[in-house]
Amino acid sequence: METFKLLGWFFRKYWKRYLFGCASLVLISVMMLIPPYLIGILVDQIRTGELTASTLWLFIGVMLGMGIFLYALRYGWMTLLFGGSLRLEKMLRQRFFGHMERMSPSFYHRNRSGDLMAVSTNDIPAIEATAGFGVLTLVDSLCMTILSLSMMIFAVDWKLTLAALLPMPFLAIATAYYGKLLHDRYFLAQEAFGTLNDHVQQSISGVRVLRSFVQEEKDVEAFEQVSEHTLQRNVSVAKIDALFDPTVSIIINFSFLIALGFGSFLVISSQISLGDLIAFQLYLGLLIWPMFAFGYLVNVLQRGRASLKRLYTILEEEPEVKDDGEHNLVQKVEAGSIEMRQLTFTYPNAETPALKQVSFHLDKGETLGIVGRTGSGKSTLCRLLLHQYPLGNERVYFSGLAIEQISLSALREKIAYVPQEHLLFSRTIRENVAFGKENATEEEIEKALLQAEMLKDVQQFTDGLETMIGEKGVMLSGGQKQRISIARALIANAEILILDDSLSAVDARTEEKIIQHLRKERAGKTTIITAHRLSAVVRAHHILVLEEGTVVEGGTHEELMEQNGWYADQYRRQQMEEQVIQAGGGNEG
Ligand code: ATP
Ligand code: MG
């Protein structure tokens, strides 16, 4: 019942549909009682020789009429109830998807995508079954049972009814026991399915790495294990599943046996008529379906409950950073300065802070360069500017407004972001670039590609802009992927552009050209660049050098060179390397 309670909002919304559906079911149950009653009378009339042709015709007429009426009613409830439950499935999936879109990155660290897919493909249909088949069996079996029992008691004999029902408590005990087992095992089976899903997904997306490390066989073996595990868990569910029907059958057969034995005794001792006994057996026959249905009901409800639990656990997770309705969040921010004050930040699942006491101030239109060893916190700083994680009170300011006071959509509208792990969609190049701006024109797309130094490459593809780039851009080189990501960000022409290590896969000359375009196109707008190659930031207004999350040096290129620390050291080394490479290239040419 807890399952139905959790779905209460849905039943309330579609109460008319459910009311009419259930009413049809009740009506059908009532009508199902008529034939046994008539047959009982008919048998007694045959026995006593009272039956006339006109009574027989009337009897046949009533049965035929009922048949047609039942046909219409059954169609009615099916479309009402199952139509309703399919709507529930759609609504749940919609909610689930909307939830995915709102969640912050750490949600995806906690939940594997295979599990999330499993919820959408397996659990939501299980809940649908509860709202459709579950409601049907509940109403139908209850109704049928009550009505048949009343007829047995009032139209035939209460002692006979009582005797025939003696085996029923065993059925109740057995199904309750199976139900509990089923719930637990089904939960585990769904979990195993999630793992299986995750494995498939990872193997498919990582197939190139798998092949290059010649790990296909190992992966197939590992998959074998995972699928064996899933099989075992599903078999353990099926074993319980298989117990329901035989249990119901055996108990119903006992009922029939008792009814026949005790009923015959009652007929012989003239307490009931032969017609009564036959009608009684037919009523008992009507109880067969509700008994099975009761078994199915327990089954469907337990699955539904396990699935609802899995779904609601996910739906109840709140995004860590969210626009809550209580505060009046600023919906539009003016272009202006960016400031970070003494920000210390630790990832939700980490122990040591990724950033410590980081401060900087950037005026509108300035460029900030962030450099430092790998793992020093550059990407973290970028993510925090996007408010992907909660920051602790008022440490980051845009145009003098604390980031907490700005709505997420207003903030992210201001910022174009090229993440380090560039993500492209498995569509055409055109669509990937145009993603940055609604209704982008042909010229705008080409201009963005030109500024990202990608236009020439695209023109060389046979399909040009219409080239399909495959899942996550598998058809492109690393540098091409980066430049398409940059074009996507540039076309948005946002007030703030964040490039997180976005030039790492292009050569020095291409990098130089892209930087020149950026300087020209983005004059007056704010740009933040993180890089390993220091040439990408030499012209920045401010450069921060991070080390293990702390700012260890800061200033312009010239100031940093004078300070003669890590930056100056690194810069000279990279210059030298560059010269060596160029000299090498010259010799070859
Ligand atoms: P790189 O130059 O390699 O891109 P980075 O300077 O961008 O490095 P970050 O990615 O910001 O470095 O990582 C800074 C620190 O935070 C690292 O120690 C890293 O292990 C840790 N870190 C990064 N992402 C997470 C995360 N999601 N959860 C926990 N710790 C993280
Ligand atoms: Mg990084």
Side-chain angles (χ1 to χ4, degrees):
M1 285 313 100
E2 183 197 345
T3 322
F4 286 131
K5 218 185 262 169
L6 282 173
L7 291 174
W9 60 272
F10 174 74
F11 295 128
R12 273 193 292 281
K13 185 171 162 83
Y14 285 102
W15 68 272
K16 273 192 207 140
R17 192 173 263 278
Y18 276 88
L19 186 71
F20 282 113
C22 294
S24 308
L25 280 174
V26 174
L27 198 57
I28 291 174
S29 303
V30 172
M31 290 180 67
M32 296 283 282
L33 295 175
I34 299 173
Y37 185 71
L38 290 181
I39 290 172
I41 294 173
L42 204 71
V43 168
D44 281 340
Q45 285 191 353
I46 293 171
R47 223 165 58 97
T48 53
E50 284 171 22
L51 183 69
T52 61
S54 58
T55 326
L56 188 63
W57 278 117
L58 181 71
F59 179 80
I60 293 172
V62 170
M63 294 290 258
L64 261 178
M66 268 181 46
I68 294 168
F69 192 55
L70 281 175
Y71 171 86
L73 273 184
R74 289 209 165 103
Y75 177 76
W77 73 250
M78 283 235 184
T79 41
L80 286 172
L81 288 192
F82 291 140
S85 62
L86 289 172
R87 278 201 173 91
L88 173 68
E89 183 173 348
K90 185 199 156 217
M91 284 161 79
L92 288 178
R93 203 164 270 142
Q94 200 83 19
R95 236 168 94 183
F96 185 67
F97 187 73
H99 189 69
M100 301 290 99
E101 301 261 305
R102 282 196 311 133
M103 293 314 282
S104 347
S106 49
F107 171 81
Y108 292 94
H109 297 315
R110 280 193 303 276
N111 296 287
R112 299 173 303 173
S113 37
D115 274 327
L116 297 175
M117 291 299 292
V119 168
S120 175
T121 52
N122 260 12
D123 290 310
I124 292 181
I127 300 168
E128 184 268 333
T130 306
F133 196 70
V135 171
L136 154 72
T137 38
L138 177 70
V139 175
D140 205 30
S141 55
L142 259 184
C143 205
M144 227 28 207
T145 311
I146 293 172
L147 289 171
S148 310
L149 279 182
S150 330
M151 287 306 275
M152 285 152 86
I153 294 171
F154 298 114
V156 187
D157 187 70
W158 68 267
K159 281 172 292 181
L160 186 57
T161 313
L162 201 66
L165 289 187
L166 277 179
M168 293 305 167
F170 294 102
L171 183 65
I173 295 168
T175 39
Y177 175 65
Y178 299 157
K180 163 99 185 62
L181 282 182
L182 190 85
H183 171 266
D184 300 347
R185 294 190 182 187
Y186 180 71
F187 198 86
L188 293 177
Q190 292 298 77
E191 238 174 39
F193 180 69
T195 312
L196 182 81
N197 243 351
D198 205 56
H199 190 112
V200 173
Q201 202 222 344
Q202 294 216 6
S203 297
I204 292 177
S205 55
V207 71
R208 295 212 279 195
V209 180
L210 278 172
R211 291 219 182 108
S212 65
F213 282 87
V214 205
Q215 292 293 308
E216 300 102 302
E217 269 180 35
K218 270 220 184 107
D219 192 52
V220 170
E221 262 169 44
F223 182 72
E224 164 84 35
Q225 273 180 14
V226 176
S227 61
E228 178 65 30
H229 181 65
T230 313
L231 172 73
Q232 291 310 338
R233 289 203 167 165
N234 277 318
V235 166
S236 80
V237 172
K239 277 185 185 155
I240 300 294
D241 237 353
L243 279 175
F244 278 99
D245 283 9
T247 312
V248 173
S249 289
I250 197 167
I251 287 181
I252 286 177
N253 282 330
F254 268 115
S255 282
F256 270 105
L257 213 64
I258 295 173
L260 199 65
F262 188 53
S264 305
F265 166 76
L266 290 177
V267 173
I268 293 166
S269 59
S270 293
Q271 297 187 35
I272 59 172
S273 70
L274 179 63
D276 283 342
L277 178 60
I278 291 178
F280 188 87
Q281 292 283 2
L282 289 173
Y283 289 131
L284 203 54
L286 287 182
L287 276 184
I288 297 180
W289 152 243
M291 289 303 124
F292 277 111
F294 182 66
Y296 295 143
L297 179 67
V298 172
N299 191 321
V300 165
L301 283 187
Q302 293 298 2
R303 285 171 193 250
R305 192 157 74 95
S307 287
L308 261 176
K309 222 187 267 175
R310 280 164 54 86
L311 175 69
Y312 276 44
T313 323
I314 291 172
L315 287 183
E316 275 160 12
E317 277 197 48
E318 290 282 339
E320 281 119 355
V321 183
K322 59 171 191 243
D323 288 348
D324 58 20
E326 288 168 30
H327 300 90
N328 271 333
L329 293 174
V330 178
Q331 298 300 338
K332 200 146 181 66
V333 212
E334 294 303 313
S337 62
I338 303 178
E339 198 179 344
M340 197 172 267
R341 293 184 199 159
Q342 303 277 315
L343 178 90
T344 298
F345 171 77
T346 312
Y347 277 105
N349 52 348
E351 270 155 28
T352 49
L355 289 178
K356 289 169 228 153
Q357 306 277 323
V358 176
S359 305
F360 68 83
H361 180 101
L362 201 61
D363 277 327
K364 177 175 183 291
E366 289 188 331
T367 299
L368 175 72
I370 304 169
V371 296
R373 261 190 263 280
T374 172
S376 54
K378 302 183 292 295
S379 300
T380 307
L381 204 156
C382 297
R383 288 184 203 126
L384 295 185
L385 289 175
L386 288 159
H387 208 183
Q388 286 188 356
Y389 293 89
L391 294 179
N393 37 16
E394 321 221 322
R395 295 290 176 188
V396 179
Y397 293 81
F398 285 87
S399 310
L401 280 170
I403 204 167
E404 286 82 5
Q405 296 172 351
I406 304 170
S407 82
L408 283 178
S409 56
L411 176 71
R412 291 179 188 169
E413 216 164 76
K414 275 261 157 304
I415 303 177
Y417 170 51
V418 184
Q420 188 168 12
E421 58 296 341
H422 26 252
L423 209 147
L424 299 175
F425 301 103
S426 51
R427 305 203 187 139
T428 61
I429 293 182
R430 175 198 299 282
E431 284 170 296
N432 269 289
V433 176
F435 190 79
K437 185 180 181 188
E438 248 175 275
N439 310 322
T441 63
E442 189 79 13
E443 289 83 57
E444 285 173 321
I445 292 176
E446 287 192 358
K447 187 173 162 211
L449 283 166
L450 182 73
Q451 287 171 357
E453 281 295 315
M454 184 61 197
L455 191 60
K456 272 197 211 108
D457 294 55
V458 172
Q459 281 163 348
Q460 274 165 15
F461 296 145
T462 24
D463 293 332
L465 277 175
E466 307 308 325
T467 310
M468 291 294 297
I469 62 167
E471 196 160 1
K472 294 183 189 150
V474 286
M475 319 277 275
L476 300 170
S477 77
Q480 286 169 338
K481 274 188 257 186
Q482 279 195 336
R483 282 174 285 155
I484 289 181
S485 306
I486 294 175
R488 176 171 67 193
L490 284 177
I491 205 169
N493 200 18
E495 288 302 332
I496 301 164
L497 173 69
I498 301 180
L499 298 173
D500 187 5
D501 213 5
S502 309
L503 298 166
S504 59
V506 301
D507 58 53
R509 210 164 302 169
T510 312
E511 175 195 275
E512 177 60 29
K513 282 189 196 152
I514 297 176
I515 298 274
Q516 272 173 16
H517 293 313
L518 284 180
R519 281 165 56 81
K520 205 163 102 214
E521 277 306 312
R522 296 200 49 83
K525 296 204 176 85
T526 309
T527 307
I528 295 171
I529 302 179
T530 84
H532 280 274
R533 209 162 31 209
L534 303 185
S535 50
V537 299
V538 280
R539 295 202 189 84
H541 298 86
H542 298 282
I543 302 169
L544 297 181
V545 180
L546 288 176
E547 196 178 311
E548 292 186 4
T550 315
V551 178
V552 287
E553 292 168 47
T556 61
H557 171 72
E558 288 72 26
E559 288 164 1
L560 287 169
M561 288 309 283
E562 253 171 50
Q563 284 178 27
N564 217 4
W566 181 88
Y567 181 92
D569 193 39
Q570 196 70 9
Y571 185 75
R572 281 187 217 109
R573 192 183 313 214
Q574 289 183 2
Q575 284 300 99
M576 236 145 67
E577 277 169 10
E578 196 57 37
Q579 277 161 15
V580 171
I581 290 169
Q582 275 175 11
N587 284 347
E588 272 169 32

